[in-house]
Amino acid sequence: MKRMLSGIKPTGQLHLGNYIGALRHFVEYQDEYDVFAFIANLHCITVPQDPKELKKNLRDCVALYLACGLDPEKATIFLQTDVKEHAQLGYIMNCHTYMGELNRMTQFKDKQSKGEKNLSGGLYTYPALMAADILLYSPDYVPVGEDQKQHVELTRDVAIRMNHRYGDLFKIPEPLVAKVGARIMSLSDPSKKMSKSDATNKGCIYLLDDLKTARKKVMSAVTDNLAHVHYDPENQPGVSNLMQIYSSLNHEKPFADIEKEFDGKGYGDFKKAVADSVCALLEEIQRKYNEIQTSGIIEKTLTDGAAKARAIAEKELDKVQEAIGMEII
Ligand code: AQP
């Protein structure tokens, strides 16, 4: 069975972009692939966190993985810090990643260009840790949203470099970026990605938003004055983004069919249909999320997942340290 690995860093509440760009694919793939889905709590602290809030977000992330349909009997779900090998291989990957490569990573550059002060060293080097997260488990594929593709490509480059230097150490993973929904944009500013760190809170639909709030966000999404539902990201970015969301939540309905469905109708009708789809999804997720809270399944999932992940990661780290010449016995 081919293996797949992906993670989410709960620096805040998970949102519709995380679901459409990543989470729903983990769920789709779990019958066909050996899925490893982790909660990237080391990556969370690359930006300042409130300890109480972080704890809640981590727990919510596991609950949402389960509520969205990940099955712990099929997928291995674990917390990054429960497998210490991530940090250790992360350091080794750091030592094999060039500063020129890290300088090219757009996520760090974006934050820097916004003039954010006191960015941490961890944020700068996080692609090296992400390389370790991936390579520890020798996955065939890494499903990611578009923004993370560059980091998987860096992982490949560093892995190939280390394979040349030390012999065949790592399997080279492929990024898997979906055709639809790989970059869901902010509803209030469709030139920006939908992000947890949305300062206005209006452009981002959180999976735990109450339905009234979520509907309101969709109904007030920024569109244009062209008044026809047409897929054209350049000239109609807001409408095209809503079409991406609608398609993703309706069995990847082709854009041409969506255009036909809303031919001659106003944006109000279209937004209502998008809001109905979003609310139906959120309602189902939140119903399961509430059941999960008191079931004890979160603790069991993490304990079992960590044991399975650790067994694989220990062996991989040993192999790497041995090849580099770091071990004596
Ligand atoms: N807007 C998005 N559209 C599609 N996919 C997305 N992903 C994130 N945002 C979108 C995908 O979700 C997975 C987990 O991402 P992450 O939460 O670990 O990191 P991120 O991409 O940095 O997410 P945010 O929300 O933008 O976080 P902040 O605001 O803290 O920087 C990844 O596969 C990602 O591609």
PDB file of all heavy atoms in Angstrom, residues 6-12 14-15 17-22 26 47 107 111 126 143-148 181-185 193-198, ligand 1:
ATOM      1  N   SER A   6       0.602  13.988   5.733  1.00  0.00           N
ATOM      2  CA  SER A   6       0.373  15.430   5.725  1.00  0.00           C
ATOM      3  C   SER A   6       0.082  15.906   7.139  1.00  0.00           C
ATOM      4  O   SER A   6      -0.260  15.096   8.000  1.00  0.00           O
ATOM      5  CB  SER A   6      -0.788  15.770   4.789  1.00  0.00           C
ATOM      6  OG  SER A   6      -0.623  17.081   4.307  1.00  0.00           O
ATOM      7  N   GLY A   7       0.242  17.198   7.357  1.00  0.00           N
ATOM      8  CA  GLY A   7      -0.009  17.744   8.691  1.00  0.00           C
ATOM      9  C   GLY A   7      -0.666  19.103   8.599  1.00  0.00           C
ATOM     10  O   GLY A   7      -0.706  19.719   7.535  1.00  0.00           O
ATOM     11  N   ILE A   8      -1.182  19.542   9.732  1.00  0.00           N
ATOM     12  CA  ILE A   8      -1.754  20.893   9.818  1.00  0.00           C
ATOM     13  C   ILE A   8      -1.205  21.523  11.088  1.00  0.00           C
ATOM     14  O   ILE A   8      -1.074  20.851  12.110  1.00  0.00           O
ATOM     15  CB  ILE A   8      -3.303  20.830   9.861  1.00  0.00           C
ATOM     16  CG1 ILE A   8      -3.843  20.296   8.523  1.00  0.00           C
ATOM     17  CG2 ILE A   8      -3.894  22.205  10.172  1.00  0.00           C
ATOM     18  CD1 ILE A   8      -5.357  20.330   8.370  1.00  0.00           C
ATOM     19  N   LYS A   9      -0.868  22.807  10.989  1.00  0.00           N
ATOM     20  CA  LYS A   9      -0.383  23.476  12.212  1.00  0.00           C
ATOM     21  C   LYS A   9      -1.517  24.335  12.781  1.00  0.00           C
ATOM     22  O   LYS A   9      -1.910  25.333  12.172  1.00  0.00           O
ATOM     23  CB  LYS A   9       0.879  24.307  11.941  1.00  0.00           C
ATOM     24  CG  LYS A   9       0.718  25.468  10.997  1.00  0.00           C
ATOM     25  CD  LYS A   9       1.972  26.327  11.009  1.00  0.00           C
ATOM     26  CE  LYS A   9       2.054  27.319   9.893  1.00  0.00           C
ATOM     27  NZ  LYS A   9       0.989  28.207   9.570  1.00  0.00           N
ATOM     28  N   PRO A  10      -2.068  23.918  13.930  1.00  0.00           N
ATOM     29  CA  PRO A  10      -3.197  24.681  14.469  1.00  0.00           C
ATOM     30  C   PRO A  10      -2.750  25.950  15.192  1.00  0.00           C
ATOM     31  O   PRO A  10      -2.879  26.059  16.405  1.00  0.00           O
ATOM     32  CB  PRO A  10      -3.897  23.694  15.408  1.00  0.00           C
ATOM     33  CG  PRO A  10      -3.083  22.462  15.398  1.00  0.00           C
ATOM     34  CD  PRO A  10      -1.785  22.737  14.753  1.00  0.00           C
ATOM     35  N   THR A  11      -2.245  26.912  14.418  1.00  0.00           N
ATOM     36  CA  THR A  11      -1.885  28.210  14.991  1.00  0.00           C
ATOM     37  C   THR A  11      -3.155  28.985  15.340  1.00  0.00           C
ATOM     38  O   THR A  11      -3.081  30.080  15.884  1.00  0.00           O
ATOM     39  CB  THR A  11      -1.055  29.028  13.975  1.00  0.00           C
ATOM     40  OG1 THR A  11      -1.595  28.779  12.673  1.00  0.00           O
ATOM     41  CG2 THR A  11       0.392  28.647  13.986  1.00  0.00           C
ATOM     42  N   GLY A  12      -4.291  28.460  14.955  1.00  0.00           N
ATOM     43  CA  GLY A  12      -5.594  29.044  15.277  1.00  0.00           C
ATOM     44  C   GLY A  12      -6.613  27.969  14.966  1.00  0.00           C
ATOM     45  O   GLY A  12      -6.258  26.795  14.806  1.00  0.00           O
ATOM     46  N   LEU A  14      -9.047  25.699  12.754  1.00  0.00           N
ATOM     47  CA  LEU A  14      -9.009  25.241  11.358  1.00  0.00           C
ATOM     48  C   LEU A  14     -10.152  25.874  10.567  1.00  0.00           C
ATOM     49  O   LEU A  14     -11.217  26.144  11.096  1.00  0.00           O
ATOM     50  CB  LEU A  14      -9.129  23.718  11.278  1.00  0.00           C
ATOM     51  CG  LEU A  14      -8.054  22.891  11.971  1.00  0.00           C
ATOM     52  CD1 LEU A  14      -8.013  21.487  11.381  1.00  0.00           C
ATOM     53  CD2 LEU A  14      -6.688  23.527  11.896  1.00  0.00           C
ATOM     54  N   HIS A  15      -9.881  26.105   9.287  1.00  0.00           N
ATOM     55  CA  HIS A  15     -10.854  26.829   8.461  1.00  0.00           C
ATOM     56  C   HIS A  15     -11.195  26.039   7.199  1.00  0.00           C
ATOM     57  O   HIS A  15     -10.630  24.973   6.926  1.00  0.00           O
ATOM     58  CB  HIS A  15     -10.320  28.226   8.133  1.00  0.00           C
ATOM     59  CG  HIS A  15      -8.940  28.230   7.519  1.00  0.00           C
ATOM     60  ND1 HIS A  15      -8.700  27.874   6.216  1.00  0.00           N
ATOM     61  CD2 HIS A  15      -7.732  28.540   8.047  1.00  0.00           C
ATOM     62  CE1 HIS A  15      -7.400  27.982   5.967  1.00  0.00           C
ATOM     63  NE2 HIS A  15      -6.785  28.373   7.066  1.00  0.00           N
ATOM     64  N   GLY A  17     -10.484  26.608   4.156  1.00  0.00           N
ATOM     65  CA  GLY A  17      -9.337  26.409   3.259  1.00  0.00           C
ATOM     66  C   GLY A  17      -8.560  25.162   3.658  1.00  0.00           C
ATOM     67  O   GLY A  17      -8.181  24.354   2.803  1.00  0.00           O
ATOM     68  N   ASN A  18      -8.341  24.977   4.964  1.00  0.00           N
ATOM     69  CA  ASN A  18      -7.657  23.761   5.441  1.00  0.00           C
ATOM     70  C   ASN A  18      -8.465  22.521   5.053  1.00  0.00           C
ATOM     71  O   ASN A  18      -7.905  21.497   4.654  1.00  0.00           O
ATOM     72  CB  ASN A  18      -7.496  23.752   6.970  1.00  0.00           C
ATOM     73  CG  ASN A  18      -6.556  24.820   7.494  1.00  0.00           C
ATOM     74  OD1 ASN A  18      -6.842  25.468   8.479  1.00  0.00           O
ATOM     75  ND2 ASN A  18      -5.421  25.028   6.845  1.00  0.00           N
ATOM     76  N   TYR A  19      -9.783  22.625   5.194  1.00  0.00           N
ATOM     77  CA  TYR A  19     -10.636  21.465   4.876  1.00  0.00           C
ATOM     78  C   TYR A  19     -10.578  21.159   3.373  1.00  0.00           C
ATOM     79  O   TYR A  19     -10.304  20.026   2.975  1.00  0.00           O
ATOM     80  CB  TYR A  19     -12.090  21.731   5.303  1.00  0.00           C
ATOM     81  CG  TYR A  19     -12.997  20.591   4.897  1.00  0.00           C
ATOM     82  CD1 TYR A  19     -13.058  19.423   5.651  1.00  0.00           C
ATOM     83  CD2 TYR A  19     -13.752  20.656   3.721  1.00  0.00           C
ATOM     84  CE1 TYR A  19     -13.841  18.350   5.257  1.00  0.00           C
ATOM     85  CE2 TYR A  19     -14.545  19.587   3.317  1.00  0.00           C
ATOM     86  CZ  TYR A  19     -14.582  18.447   4.089  1.00  0.00           C
ATOM     87  OH  TYR A  19     -15.345  17.380   3.684  1.00  0.00           O
ATOM     88  N   ILE A  20     -10.817  22.184   2.563  1.00  0.00           N
ATOM     89  CA  ILE A  20     -10.909  21.939   1.113  1.00  0.00           C
ATOM     90  C   ILE A  20      -9.524  21.605   0.522  1.00  0.00           C
ATOM     91  O   ILE A  20      -9.393  20.700  -0.300  1.00  0.00           O
ATOM     92  CB  ILE A  20     -11.541  23.159   0.398  1.00  0.00           C
ATOM     93  CG1 ILE A  20     -13.010  23.264   0.807  1.00  0.00           C
ATOM     94  CG2 ILE A  20     -11.409  23.038  -1.117  1.00  0.00           C
ATOM     95  CD1 ILE A  20     -13.742  24.466   0.218  1.00  0.00           C
ATOM     96  N   GLY A  21      -8.495  22.341   0.968  1.00  0.00           N
ATOM     97  CA  GLY A  21      -7.161  22.150   0.386  1.00  0.00           C
ATOM     98  C   GLY A  21      -6.445  20.916   0.910  1.00  0.00           C
ATOM     99  O   GLY A  21      -5.580  20.365   0.225  1.00  0.00           O
ATOM    100  N   ALA A  22      -6.788  20.460   2.115  1.00  0.00           N
ATOM    101  CA  ALA A  22      -6.005  19.363   2.697  1.00  0.00           C
ATOM    102  C   ALA A  22      -6.866  18.269   3.328  1.00  0.00           C
ATOM    103  O   ALA A  22      -6.878  17.126   2.867  1.00  0.00           O
ATOM    104  CB  ALA A  22      -5.037  19.947   3.731  1.00  0.00           C
ATOM    105  N   PHE A  26      -7.226  13.923   2.882  1.00  0.00           N
ATOM    106  CA  PHE A  26      -6.743  12.863   3.784  1.00  0.00           C
ATOM    107  C   PHE A  26      -7.866  11.817   3.919  1.00  0.00           C
ATOM    108  O   PHE A  26      -7.624  10.619   3.931  1.00  0.00           O
ATOM    109  CB  PHE A  26      -6.448  13.356   5.203  1.00  0.00           C
ATOM    110  CG  PHE A  26      -5.506  14.519   5.381  1.00  0.00           C
ATOM    111  CD1 PHE A  26      -5.360  15.107   6.638  1.00  0.00           C
ATOM    112  CD2 PHE A  26      -4.762  15.037   4.344  1.00  0.00           C
ATOM    113  CE1 PHE A  26      -4.510  16.178   6.849  1.00  0.00           C
ATOM    114  CE2 PHE A  26      -3.918  16.112   4.545  1.00  0.00           C
ATOM    115  CZ  PHE A  26      -3.799  16.681   5.793  1.00  0.00           C
ATOM    116  N   VAL A  47       5.453  30.965  15.692  1.00  0.00           N
ATOM    117  CA  VAL A  47       4.883  32.297  15.948  1.00  0.00           C
ATOM    118  C   VAL A  47       4.353  32.291  17.389  1.00  0.00           C
ATOM    119  O   VAL A  47       4.018  31.225  17.902  1.00  0.00           O
ATOM    120  CB  VAL A  47       3.745  32.644  14.939  1.00  0.00           C
ATOM    121  CG1 VAL A  47       4.284  32.864  13.547  1.00  0.00           C
ATOM    122  CG2 VAL A  47       2.668  31.566  14.925  1.00  0.00           C
ATOM    123  N   GLN A 107       6.646  31.731   2.121  1.00  0.00           N
ATOM    124  CA  GLN A 107       5.872  31.983   3.344  1.00  0.00           C
ATOM    125  C   GLN A 107       6.621  32.915   4.295  1.00  0.00           C
ATOM    126  O   GLN A 107       6.052  33.846   4.841  1.00  0.00           O
ATOM    127  CB  GLN A 107       5.553  30.661   4.039  1.00  0.00           C
ATOM    128  CG  GLN A 107       4.362  29.962   3.413  1.00  0.00           C
ATOM    129  CD  GLN A 107       3.543  29.192   4.438  1.00  0.00           C
ATOM    130  OE1 GLN A 107       4.016  28.828   5.501  1.00  0.00           O
ATOM    131  NE2 GLN A 107       2.294  28.936   4.111  1.00  0.00           N
ATOM    132  N   LYS A 111       5.712  36.998   5.304  1.00  0.00           N
ATOM    133  CA  LYS A 111       5.569  37.543   6.660  1.00  0.00           C
ATOM    134  C   LYS A 111       6.561  38.695   6.855  1.00  0.00           C
ATOM    135  O   LYS A 111       6.230  39.710   7.451  1.00  0.00           O
ATOM    136  CB  LYS A 111       5.819  36.443   7.706  1.00  0.00           C
ATOM    137  CG  LYS A 111       4.650  35.469   7.834  1.00  0.00           C
ATOM    138  CD  LYS A 111       4.472  35.024   9.285  1.00  0.00           C
ATOM    139  CE  LYS A 111       3.135  34.408   9.616  1.00  0.00           C
ATOM    140  NZ  LYS A 111       2.557  33.409   8.818  1.00  0.00           N
ATOM    141  N   TYR A 126      11.670  26.633   9.383  1.00  0.00           N
ATOM    142  CA  TYR A 126      10.645  25.599   9.499  1.00  0.00           C
ATOM    143  C   TYR A 126      10.536  24.667   8.288  1.00  0.00           C
ATOM    144  O   TYR A 126      10.202  23.489   8.440  1.00  0.00           O
ATOM    145  CB  TYR A 126       9.318  26.203   9.995  1.00  0.00           C
ATOM    146  CG  TYR A 126       8.132  26.230   9.090  1.00  0.00           C
ATOM    147  CD1 TYR A 126       7.384  25.073   8.846  1.00  0.00           C
ATOM    148  CD2 TYR A 126       7.691  27.415   8.506  1.00  0.00           C
ATOM    149  CE1 TYR A 126       6.258  25.114   8.041  1.00  0.00           C
ATOM    150  CE2 TYR A 126       6.575  27.458   7.706  1.00  0.00           C
ATOM    151  CZ  TYR A 126       5.861  26.303   7.468  1.00  0.00           C
ATOM    152  OH  TYR A 126       4.764  26.349   6.667  1.00  0.00           O
ATOM    153  N   PRO A 143      -0.055  15.182   0.233  1.00  0.00           N
ATOM    154  CA  PRO A 143      -1.126  16.073  -0.236  1.00  0.00           C
ATOM    155  C   PRO A 143      -1.075  17.413   0.483  1.00  0.00           C
ATOM    156  O   PRO A 143      -1.060  17.456   1.713  1.00  0.00           O
ATOM    157  CB  PRO A 143      -2.413  15.306   0.124  1.00  0.00           C
ATOM    158  CG  PRO A 143      -2.019  14.320   1.159  1.00  0.00           C
ATOM    159  CD  PRO A 143      -0.551  14.098   1.089  1.00  0.00           C
ATOM    160  N   VAL A 144      -1.006  18.493  -0.273  1.00  0.00           N
ATOM    161  CA  VAL A 144      -0.913  19.838   0.314  1.00  0.00           C
ATOM    162  C   VAL A 144      -1.714  20.834  -0.516  1.00  0.00           C
ATOM    163  O   VAL A 144      -2.009  20.589  -1.690  1.00  0.00           O
ATOM    164  CB  VAL A 144       0.557  20.362   0.357  1.00  0.00           C
ATOM    165  CG1 VAL A 144       1.349  19.751   1.485  1.00  0.00           C
ATOM    166  CG2 VAL A 144       1.261  20.171  -0.974  1.00  0.00           C
ATOM    167  N   GLY A 145      -2.039  21.966   0.107  1.00  0.00           N
ATOM    168  CA  GLY A 145      -2.569  23.091  -0.650  1.00  0.00           C
ATOM    169  C   GLY A 145      -1.410  23.717  -1.416  1.00  0.00           C
ATOM    170  O   GLY A 145      -0.242  23.398  -1.168  1.00  0.00           O
ATOM    171  N   GLU A 146      -1.762  24.629  -2.334  1.00  0.00           N
ATOM    172  CA  GLU A 146      -0.740  25.184  -3.230  1.00  0.00           C
ATOM    173  C   GLU A 146       0.397  25.885  -2.480  1.00  0.00           C
ATOM    174  O   GLU A 146       1.565  25.809  -2.875  1.00  0.00           O
ATOM    175  CB  GLU A 146      -1.428  26.181  -4.156  1.00  0.00           C
ATOM    176  CG  GLU A 146      -0.847  26.232  -5.541  1.00  0.00           C
ATOM    177  CD  GLU A 146      -1.778  27.021  -6.435  1.00  0.00           C
ATOM    178  OE1 GLU A 146      -1.876  28.251  -6.258  1.00  0.00           O
ATOM    179  OE2 GLU A 146      -2.418  26.381  -7.275  1.00  0.00           O
ATOM    180  N   ASP A 147       0.035  26.545  -1.360  1.00  0.00           N
ATOM    181  CA  ASP A 147       1.037  27.335  -0.619  1.00  0.00           C
ATOM    182  C   ASP A 147       2.167  26.480  -0.051  1.00  0.00           C
ATOM    183  O   ASP A 147       3.253  26.982   0.212  1.00  0.00           O
ATOM    184  CB  ASP A 147       0.358  28.126   0.515  1.00  0.00           C
ATOM    185  CG  ASP A 147      -0.345  27.227   1.520  1.00  0.00           C
ATOM    186  OD1 ASP A 147      -0.965  26.227   1.100  1.00  0.00           O
ATOM    187  OD2 ASP A 147      -0.268  27.507   2.728  1.00  0.00           O
ATOM    188  N   GLN A 148       1.903  25.195   0.156  1.00  0.00           N
ATOM    189  CA  GLN A 148       2.923  24.335   0.778  1.00  0.00           C
ATOM    190  C   GLN A 148       3.730  23.537  -0.254  1.00  0.00           C
ATOM    191  O   GLN A 148       4.653  22.817   0.117  1.00  0.00           O
ATOM    192  CB  GLN A 148       2.258  23.353   1.745  1.00  0.00           C
ATOM    193  CG  GLN A 148       1.627  24.027   2.963  1.00  0.00           C
ATOM    194  CD  GLN A 148       2.672  24.528   3.953  1.00  0.00           C
ATOM    195  OE1 GLN A 148       3.851  24.192   3.854  1.00  0.00           O
ATOM    196  NE2 GLN A 148       2.253  25.358   4.886  1.00  0.00           N
ATOM    197  N   GLY A 181      -9.608  23.804  -5.578  1.00  0.00           N
ATOM    198  CA  GLY A 181      -9.622  24.096  -4.138  1.00  0.00           C
ATOM    199  C   GLY A 181      -8.255  24.080  -3.476  1.00  0.00           C
ATOM    200  O   GLY A 181      -8.161  24.056  -2.260  1.00  0.00           O
ATOM    201  N   ALA A 182      -7.178  24.127  -4.273  1.00  0.00           N
ATOM    202  CA  ALA A 182      -5.838  24.071  -3.677  1.00  0.00           C
ATOM    203  C   ALA A 182      -5.446  25.418  -3.070  1.00  0.00           C
ATOM    204  O   ALA A 182      -4.461  25.505  -2.335  1.00  0.00           O
ATOM    205  CB  ALA A 182      -4.814  23.655  -4.716  1.00  0.00           C
ATOM    206  N   ARG A 183      -6.191  26.466  -3.407  1.00  0.00           N
ATOM    207  CA  ARG A 183      -5.905  27.788  -2.828  1.00  0.00           C
ATOM    208  C   ARG A 183      -7.229  28.545  -2.692  1.00  0.00           C
ATOM    209  O   ARG A 183      -7.649  29.250  -3.621  1.00  0.00           O
ATOM    210  CB  ARG A 183      -4.922  28.549  -3.734  1.00  0.00           C
ATOM    211  CG  ARG A 183      -4.367  29.783  -3.102  1.00  0.00           C
ATOM    212  CD  ARG A 183      -3.275  30.371  -3.997  1.00  0.00           C
ATOM    213  NE  ARG A 183      -2.808  31.637  -3.495  1.00  0.00           N
ATOM    214  CZ  ARG A 183      -1.910  31.772  -2.523  1.00  0.00           C
ATOM    215  NH1 ARG A 183      -1.364  30.725  -1.968  1.00  0.00           N
ATOM    216  NH2 ARG A 183      -1.537  32.968  -2.124  1.00  0.00           N
ATOM    217  N   ILE A 184      -7.866  28.352  -1.554  1.00  0.00           N
ATOM    218  CA  ILE A 184      -9.115  29.071  -1.286  1.00  0.00           C
ATOM    219  C   ILE A 184      -8.740  30.459  -0.772  1.00  0.00           C
ATOM    220  O   ILE A 184      -7.882  30.602   0.094  1.00  0.00           O
ATOM    221  CB  ILE A 184      -9.972  28.290  -0.243  1.00  0.00           C
ATOM    222  CG1 ILE A 184     -10.349  26.905  -0.793  1.00  0.00           C
ATOM    223  CG2 ILE A 184     -11.209  29.081   0.160  1.00  0.00           C
ATOM    224  CD1 ILE A 184     -11.198  26.906  -2.041  1.00  0.00           C
ATOM    225  N   MET A 185      -9.384  31.455  -1.353  1.00  0.00           N
ATOM    226  CA  MET A 185      -9.002  32.824  -1.023  1.00  0.00           C
ATOM    227  C   MET A 185      -9.909  33.412   0.059  1.00  0.00           C
ATOM    228  O   MET A 185     -11.005  32.883   0.319  1.00  0.00           O
ATOM    229  CB  MET A 185      -9.069  33.700  -2.290  1.00  0.00           C
ATOM    230  CG  MET A 185      -8.333  33.118  -3.488  1.00  0.00           C
ATOM    231  SD  MET A 185      -6.623  32.675  -3.135  1.00  0.00           S
ATOM    232  CE  MET A 185      -5.827  34.264  -3.306  1.00  0.00           C
ATOM    233  N   LYS A 193      -4.893  34.662   0.475  1.00  0.00           N
ATOM    234  CA  LYS A 193      -5.294  33.305   0.836  1.00  0.00           C
ATOM    235  C   LYS A 193      -6.168  33.327   2.098  1.00  0.00           C
ATOM    236  O   LYS A 193      -5.914  34.136   2.996  1.00  0.00           O
ATOM    237  CB  LYS A 193      -4.010  32.510   1.113  1.00  0.00           C
ATOM    238  CG  LYS A 193      -4.196  31.041   1.360  1.00  0.00           C
ATOM    239  CD  LYS A 193      -2.837  30.375   1.506  1.00  0.00           C
ATOM    240  CE  LYS A 193      -2.293  30.481   2.919  1.00  0.00           C
ATOM    241  NZ  LYS A 193      -2.443  29.274   3.729  1.00  0.00           N
ATOM    242  N   MET A 194      -7.162  32.447   2.150  1.00  0.00           N
ATOM    243  CA  MET A 194      -7.905  32.283   3.405  1.00  0.00           C
ATOM    244  C   MET A 194      -6.933  31.714   4.433  1.00  0.00           C
ATOM    245  O   MET A 194      -6.316  30.678   4.202  1.00  0.00           O
ATOM    246  CB  MET A 194      -9.090  31.324   3.202  1.00  0.00           C
ATOM    247  CG  MET A 194      -9.967  31.224   4.424  1.00  0.00           C
ATOM    248  SD  MET A 194     -11.392  30.130   4.198  1.00  0.00           S
ATOM    249  CE  MET A 194     -12.506  31.121   3.249  1.00  0.00           C
ATOM    250  N   SER A 195      -6.779  32.415   5.555  1.00  0.00           N
ATOM    251  CA  SER A 195      -5.757  32.049   6.543  1.00  0.00           C
ATOM    252  C   SER A 195      -6.301  32.120   7.952  1.00  0.00           C
ATOM    253  O   SER A 195      -7.153  32.957   8.239  1.00  0.00           O
ATOM    254  CB  SER A 195      -4.589  33.043   6.477  1.00  0.00           C
ATOM    255  OG  SER A 195      -3.579  32.555   5.678  1.00  0.00           O
ATOM    256  N   LYS A 196      -5.720  31.295   8.823  1.00  0.00           N
ATOM    257  CA  LYS A 196      -6.102  31.352  10.243  1.00  0.00           C
ATOM    258  C   LYS A 196      -5.809  32.736  10.809  1.00  0.00           C
ATOM    259  O   LYS A 196      -6.500  33.221  11.673  1.00  0.00           O
ATOM    260  CB  LYS A 196      -5.290  30.338  11.049  1.00  0.00           C
ATOM    261  CG  LYS A 196      -5.576  28.922  10.682  1.00  0.00           C
ATOM    262  CD  LYS A 196      -4.723  28.007  11.539  1.00  0.00           C
ATOM    263  CE  LYS A 196      -4.370  26.767  10.779  1.00  0.00           C
ATOM    264  NZ  LYS A 196      -3.110  26.884  10.016  1.00  0.00           N
ATOM    265  N   SER A 197      -4.715  33.314  10.322  1.00  0.00           N
ATOM    266  CA  SER A 197      -4.284  34.600  10.888  1.00  0.00           C
ATOM    267  C   SER A 197      -4.973  35.787  10.206  1.00  0.00           C
ATOM    268  O   SER A 197      -4.432  36.880  10.203  1.00  0.00           O
ATOM    269  CB  SER A 197      -2.768  34.719  10.767  1.00  0.00           C
ATOM    270  OG  SER A 197      -2.368  34.407   9.457  1.00  0.00           O
ATOM    271  N   ASP A 198      -6.172  35.580   9.650  1.00  0.00           N
ATOM    272  CA  ASP A 198      -6.947  36.671   9.057  1.00  0.00           C
ATOM    273  C   ASP A 198      -7.305  37.679  10.153  1.00  0.00           C
ATOM    274  O   ASP A 198      -8.060  37.381  11.069  1.00  0.00           O
ATOM    275  CB  ASP A 198      -8.234  36.064   8.447  1.00  0.00           C
ATOM    276  CG  ASP A 198      -9.170  37.121   7.872  1.00  0.00           C
ATOM    277  OD1 ASP A 198      -8.815  38.315   7.936  1.00  0.00           O
ATOM    278  OD2 ASP A 198     -10.235  36.758   7.376  1.00  0.00           O
TER     279      ASP A 198
HETATM  280  N1  AQP B   1      -6.585  28.892   1.882  1.00  0.00           N
HETATM  281  C1  AQP B   1      -6.220  27.639   1.684  1.00  0.00           C
HETATM  282  N2  AQP B   1      -6.667  26.979   0.581  1.00  0.00           N
HETATM  283  C2  AQP B   1      -6.298  25.670   0.363  1.00  0.00           C
HETATM  284  N3  AQP B   1      -5.480  24.987   1.186  1.00  0.00           N
HETATM  285  C3  AQP B   1      -5.016  25.611   2.286  1.00  0.00           C
HETATM  286  N4  AQP B   1      -4.213  25.216   3.284  1.00  0.00           N
HETATM  287  C4  AQP B   1      -4.044  26.238   4.163  1.00  0.00           C
HETATM  288  N5  AQP B   1      -4.733  27.307   3.750  1.00  0.00           N
HETATM  289  C5  AQP B   1      -5.352  26.957   2.590  1.00  0.00           C
HETATM  290  C6  AQP B   1      -3.628  23.880   3.363  1.00  0.00           C
HETATM  291  O1  AQP B   1      -3.963  23.317   4.630  1.00  0.00           O
HETATM  292  C7  AQP B   1      -2.872  22.493   5.069  1.00  0.00           C
HETATM  293  C8  AQP B   1      -2.484  22.883   6.460  1.00  0.00           C
HETATM  294  O2  AQP B   1      -1.960  24.195   6.416  1.00  0.00           O
HETATM  295  P1  AQP B   1      -1.374  24.827   7.740  1.00  0.00           P
HETATM  296  O3  AQP B   1      -2.502  25.239   8.586  1.00  0.00           O
HETATM  297  O4  AQP B   1      -0.423  23.883   8.352  1.00  0.00           O
HETATM  298  O5  AQP B   1      -0.519  26.041   7.263  1.00  0.00           O
HETATM  299  P2  AQP B   1      -0.861  27.316   6.415  1.00  0.00           P
HETATM  300  O6  AQP B   1      -0.937  26.941   4.995  1.00  0.00           O
HETATM  301  O7  AQP B   1       0.172  28.343   6.797  1.00  0.00           O
HETATM  302  O8  AQP B   1      -2.289  27.773   6.952  1.00  0.00           O
HETATM  303  P3  AQP B   1      -2.779  29.213   7.323  1.00  0.00           P
HETATM  304  O9  AQP B   1      -4.204  29.082   7.697  1.00  0.00           O
HETATM  305  O10 AQP B   1      -2.438  30.199   6.264  1.00  0.00           O
HETATM  306  O11 AQP B   1      -1.980  29.511   8.659  1.00  0.00           O
HETATM  307  P4  AQP B   1      -1.306  30.841   9.175  1.00  0.00           P
HETATM  308  O12 AQP B   1      -2.347  31.927   9.075  1.00  0.00           O
HETATM  309  O13 AQP B   1      -0.957  30.519  10.614  1.00  0.00           O
HETATM  310  O14 AQP B   1      -0.098  31.075   8.323  1.00  0.00           O
HETATM  311  C9  AQP B   1      -1.738  22.657   4.067  1.00  0.00           C
HETATM  312  O15 AQP B   1      -1.747  21.565   3.179  1.00  0.00           O
HETATM  313  C10 AQP B   1      -2.101  23.940   3.366  1.00  0.00           C
HETATM  314  O16 AQP B   1      -1.577  23.982   2.068  1.00  0.00           O
END
